Amino acid sequence: MAELAYRLSKVQKPKLSVAIDDTIGNKETRGATINGIQVHAVRLPGHTLAVETVFGLKGEKLILRHDSGESAEPYVKGVLLAIKNIDTFKGLRRGLDSIMEF
């Protein structure tokens, strides 16, 4: 999630219509601000991973969501691809897309 927040912050900084300190509820439930992007994390039994990104302006909302299911199975092919190509680069790589051939 931090990687997505970083990349989105390079496109455009969000415009908050309500300051985070002015929101109602426990401070712990408001998430964290990473590179100007508000990020929340939820941990539930039986819920492995989901990523949801919400874009919006007045009167409109676009939601992108990815659910991985109840296991790490959706990530096995990516891990195997990274292992297979580990000897083709030096140094740190961020993101599976940095080692994929298109």
Side-chain angles (χ1 to χ4, degrees):
M1 189 57 97
E3 177 72 18
L4 177 60
Y6 173 77
R7 289 182 180 204
L8 288 175
S9 73
K10 297 299 179 189
V11 176
Q12 179 181 343
K13 295 287 184 190
K15 297 173 187 166
L16 297 176
S17 58
V18 176
I20 300 302
D21 290 336
D22 293 339
T23 58
I24 299 171
N26 295 332
K27 190 173 187 175
E28 296 80 18
T29 64
R30 299 178 193 165
T33 303
I34 301 174
N35 292 319
I37 306 291
Q38 196 65 19
V39 176
H40 301 271
V42 176
R43 288 169 177 77
L44 299 170
H47 184 77
T48 303
L49 175 70
V51 176
E52 183 175 89
T53 305
V54 181
F55 300 94
L57 295 172
K58 186 176 180 178
E60 63 183 12
K61 185 178 359 177
L62 171 65
I63 300 172
L64 303 174
R65 182 174 174 87
H66 172 260
D67 289 296
S68 70
E70 297 180 358
S71 73
E73 185 179 351
Y75 302 99
V76 172
K77 288 182 181 180
V79 170
L80 292 175
L81 177 65
I83 292 169
K84 176 182 163 193
N85 292 321
I86 194 75
D87 62 347
T88 64
F89 57 87
K90 292 184 181 184
L92 178 66
R93 294 286 180 101
R94 292 183 70 161
L96 187 59
D97 58 324
S98 71
I99 64 167
M100 293 176 66
E101 294 182 26
F102 296 98

